[in-house]
Every structure is written in structure tokens, then in C-alpha cells.
Amino acid sequence: MWSKNKRAMSLSERGHVQRVKESGCAVCGAGGVVEAHHTKQGNHFTTIGLCDTCHRGPMGWHGDKTMWRIHKMDENDALNETLRRVYGEV
């Protein structure tokens, strides 16, 4: 969702978010293109790659967070995993 009050992403922010979306899910490991979860609105360099289940699903971040508890992860763990994947440490 895009808010009319948010500033537009810079070229480097857009590139980073695209790489995050191509990195797979940081929680369950699902491959393919995923969603970018912002740890704080407008902070594009701290986005986490999440599949729809781990992001918006009933057991995901915006649900009851069951998937996160199963994988023993919090936002910081998932951000670390996303950066590891983006920078080729997989």
C-alpha cells in the first residue's frame, strides 16, 4: 500500500527493495519473489523479505505471528537473514 504522505523512494532505495523482494522469505525460506516488510514506515533499507504467509497470513507478522514463533525469529533475526541473502551469503 502506498500512502500519499510518504516521500518517493530514491533510486538506491528502490534497487535495494527490489533485491529484498528477490531474496526469498527470511522466516520460512520460501523462494521466489516475496513481499518487502518495512520494519518502520519509510525506512526502505531495513525491509525484510517475507512470503505472503509469513507477512500477511493469519499466522504471519500481521496476524498472530505463529510462523515467527515456530522458526524462533523476531524482526531483527529476519532482517539479518534478509541482508545475508541479499549480499550473497546463502
Side-chain angles (χ1 to χ4, degrees):
M1 177 185 285
W2 188 258
S3 168
K4 65 180 180 178
N5 297 322
K6 288 196 316 193
R7 68 172 177 75
M9 282 194 273
S10 70
L11 208 53
S12 60
E13 288 170 328
R14 217 179 350 244
H16 178 74
V17 169
Q18 185 58 43
R19 287 187 295 277
V20 166
K21 289 179 178 180
E22 295 168 354
S23 70
C25 183
V27 175
C28 72
V33 177
V34 295
E35 301 173 353
H37 166 71
H38 288 72
T39 60
K40 183 176 180 183
Q41 184 175 345
N43 287 358
H44 304 295
F45 287 111
T46 57
T47 54
I48 299 169
L50 296 174
C51 67
D52 60 342
T53 300
C54 291
H55 191 201
R56 297 176 290 107
M59 297 189 312
W61 183 261
H62 295 292
D64 67 8
K65 298 183 178 83
T66 298
M67 289 298 288
W68 291 68
R69 286 192 301 278
I70 289 169
H71 293 281
K72 297 179 172 75
M73 295 187 85
D74 60 18
E75 271 189 317
N76 194 52
D77 296 324
L79 177 59
N80 186 67
E81 177 62 19
T82 296
L83 293 174
R84 192 176 71 72
R85 289 166 172 262
V86 166
Y87 290 102
E89 296 291 323
V90 178

